[in-house]
């Protein structure tokens, strides 16, 4: 696997430098009292950590920020259960680029659970039955990208929702930039899977399209905000302009990106449909004032 590491090491060094300068630049603002704008951006940083530091970086390198650049993790405990995925060289290259594209504002990292057991539980919940053998996101490229499909559903609709509420021009610019990168990554993941939509997710008798549809339906059920995510193949009535069933990009009936409330996002990420009960990817809950406020507002 020497090849896998040679190419990325140049990318790593360059991107590390960019990430670090960025974090220093933003740190200045943190000396001031947190603003509502800051709270909104901080909320979504939880999901930047989930994708970048944790799932993508581990999947592509077998290691997380703690091993590669401990100064970038802003404190917070190391993740649980991340590991090297058996990726083909092309996907490994792409995922490593994604890992280093994450821009983490100065917010502490939450405890994250990215163990294969956790993904298996989400897959069982989506399938409505216990899959045998358990779904393993690290087993091969297709499984890793199916898991990435799920993870890439968290941040983008959150950025769409918060952006109109931001007052601060610096943070608006940041969010517009993050939104572009996050949707770009989601589109790359969905395009790869769309090309393979009729493949079976071995060894289950389920196609890639069916698997993505059930993941999206699970997200919609747990989120409790109606339809906010769609799989790769939909009835034509729900496709673009009500005309096509291919659904490589997920968008609403007006072909606009879906927006999701912060509470709906953690209802899914916690795996329980309840924003007041941590679990799932965030065993102790997401960080920041917004996510914390949900915990005290238990129904
Ligand atoms: C950000 O600021 C905190 C103190 O407010 C400091 O401890 C930390 O080292 C700073 N981070 C960076 C990357 O400079
Ligand atoms: C906007 O946010 C930036 C970065 O967080 C901060 O430096 C700046 O002071 C804020 N501006 C206002 C007017 O609050
Ligand atoms: C991580 O998730 C798995 C599957 O739910 C669970 O067995 C394990 O206890 C979790 N770890 C923590 C620390 O919550
Ligand atoms: C989109 O349109 C379809 C068909 O008219 C309808 O069934 C569905 O509820 C609509 N979705 C939303 C989110 O409005």
């Amino acid at each position: 696997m020497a090849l896998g590491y040679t190419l990325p090491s140049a990318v790593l060094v360059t991107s590390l430098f960019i990430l670090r300068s960025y974090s220093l630049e933003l740190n200045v603002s943190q000396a001031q009292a947190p603003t509502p704008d800051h709270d909104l951006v901080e909320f979504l940083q939880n999901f930047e950590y989930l994708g970048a530091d944790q799932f993508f970086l581990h999947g592509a390198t077998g290691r997380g920020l703690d091993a590669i650049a401990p100064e970038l993790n802003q404190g917070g405990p190391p993740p649980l259960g991340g590991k090297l995925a058996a990726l083909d060289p092309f996907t490994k290259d792409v995922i490593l680029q994604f890992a280093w594209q994450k821009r983490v504002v100065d917010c502490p990292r939450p405890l994250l659970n990215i163990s294969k057991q956790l993904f298996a539980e989400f897959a069982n919940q989506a399938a409505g039955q216990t899959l045998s053998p358990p779904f393993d996101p690290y087993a091969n490229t297709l499984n890793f990208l199916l898991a990435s499909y799920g993870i890439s559903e968290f941040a983008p609709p959150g950025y769409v929702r918060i952006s109109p509420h931001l007052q601060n021009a610096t943070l608006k610019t940041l969010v517009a930039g993050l939104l572009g990168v996050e949707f770009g990554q989601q589109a790359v993941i969905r395009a790869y899977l769309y090309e393979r939509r009729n493949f079976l997710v071995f060894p289950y008798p389920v196609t890639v399209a069916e698997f993505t549809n059930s993941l999206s339906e699970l997200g919609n059920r747990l989120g409790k905000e109606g339809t906010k995510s769609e799989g790769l193949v939909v009835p034509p009535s729900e496709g673009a302009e009500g005309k096509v069933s291919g659904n490589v990009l997920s968008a609403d009936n007006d072909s606009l990106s879906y927006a999701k409330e912060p509470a709906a996002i953690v209802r899914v990420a916690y795996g329980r449909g309840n924003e007041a009960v941590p679990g799932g990817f965030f065993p102790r809950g997401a960080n920041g004032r917004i996510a914390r406020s949900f915990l005290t507002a238990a129904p």
Side-chain angles (χ1 to χ4, degrees), residues 151-224:
I151 289 208
S152 76
E153 298 262 289
F154 291 127
Y159 287 122
V160 174
R161 169 63 83 227
I162 72 168
S163 58
H165 300 291
L166 298 173
Q167 305 296 318
N168 180 307
T170 307
L171 291 175
K172 275 189 202 173
T173 305
L174 172 65
V175 162
L178 287 167
L179 192 148
V181 169
E182 288 286 330
F183 271 111
Q185 294 186 354
Q186 189 191 65
V188 169
I189 292 162
R190 290 181 68 107
Y192 176 99
L193 293 171
Y194 186 69
E195 204 180 342
R196 292 159 182 77
R197 63 194 176 281
N198 295 323
F199 287 20
L200 288 182
V201 183
F202 186 80
Y204 317 116
V206 169
T207 64
V208 167
E210 288 164 344
F211 202 97
T212 61
N213 290 352
S214 63
L215 284 178
S216 286
E217 281 161 18
L218 174 65
N220 293 333
R221 277 200 307 281
L222 294 175
K224 301 177 180 167

Side-chain angles (χ1 to χ4, degrees), residues 117-296:
Q117 289 84 357
L118 184 76
F119 284 95
E121 282 174 11
F122 271 102
N124 288 345
Q125 243 188 304
Q129 58 176 300
T130 304
L131 298 175
S132 178
F135 178 76
D136 178 356
Y138 300 103
N140 55 55
T141 295
L142 185 61
N143 286 13
F144 190 81
L145 287 166
L146 285 166
S148 301
Y149 170 99
I151 289 208
S152 76
E153 298 262 289
F154 291 127
Y159 287 122
V160 174
R161 169 63 83 227
I162 72 168
S163 58
H165 300 291
L166 298 173
Q167 305 296 318
N168 180 307
T170 307
L171 291 175
K172 275 189 202 173
T173 305
L174 172 65
V175 162
L178 287 167
L179 192 148
V181 169
E182 288 286 330
F183 271 111
Q185 294 186 354
Q186 189 191 65
V188 169
I189 292 162
R190 290 181 68 107
Y192 176 99
L193 293 171
Y194 186 69
E195 204 180 342
R196 292 159 182 77
R197 63 194 176 281
N198 295 323
F199 287 20
L200 288 182
V201 183
F202 186 80
Y204 317 116
V206 169
T207 64
V208 167
E210 288 164 344
F211 202 97
T212 61
N213 290 352
S214 63
L215 284 178
S216 286
E217 281 161 18
L218 174 65
N220 293 333
R221 277 200 307 281
L222 294 175
K224 301 177 180 167
E225 261 196 322
T227 298
K228 293 288 170 167
S229 168
E230 293 166 350
L232 295 172
V233 177
V234 296
S237 64
E238 286 164 33
E241 299 297 325
K243 290 183 172 46
V244 288
S245 64
N247 197 47
V248 65
L249 297 183
S250 176
D252 70 12
N253 282 353
D254 295 324
S255 295
L256 300 175
S257 293
Y258 286 110
K260 269 190 174 179
E261 293 296 341
I265 295 172
V266 287
R267 282 198 282 270
V268 184
Y270 294 173
R272 297 163 195 261
N274 186 341
E275 67 273 29
V277 183
F281 292 112
F282 299 89
R284 295 182 200 152
N287 277 340
R289 288 209 299 204
I290 292 177
R292 290 293 156 204
S293 73
F294 298 148
L295 303 185
T296 54

Side-chain angles (χ1 to χ4, degrees), residues 48-71:
E48 300 281 341
Y49 277 121
L50 175 62
D53 168 20
Q54 314 300 327
F55 193 57
F56 293 156
L57 197 53
H58 273 96
T61 71
R63 300 185 297 166
L65 273 188
D66 293 304
I68 293 171
E71 69 280 13

Side-chain angles (χ1 to χ4, degrees), residues 26-48:
L26 281 172
N27 212 13
V28 176
S29 66
Q30 310 309 316
Q32 301 160 1
T35 61
D37 279 10
H38 177 268
D39 291 348
L40 289 168
V41 176
E42 182 179 49
F43 175 79
L44 291 168
Q45 291 303 302
N46 286 288
F47 302 92
E48 300 281 341

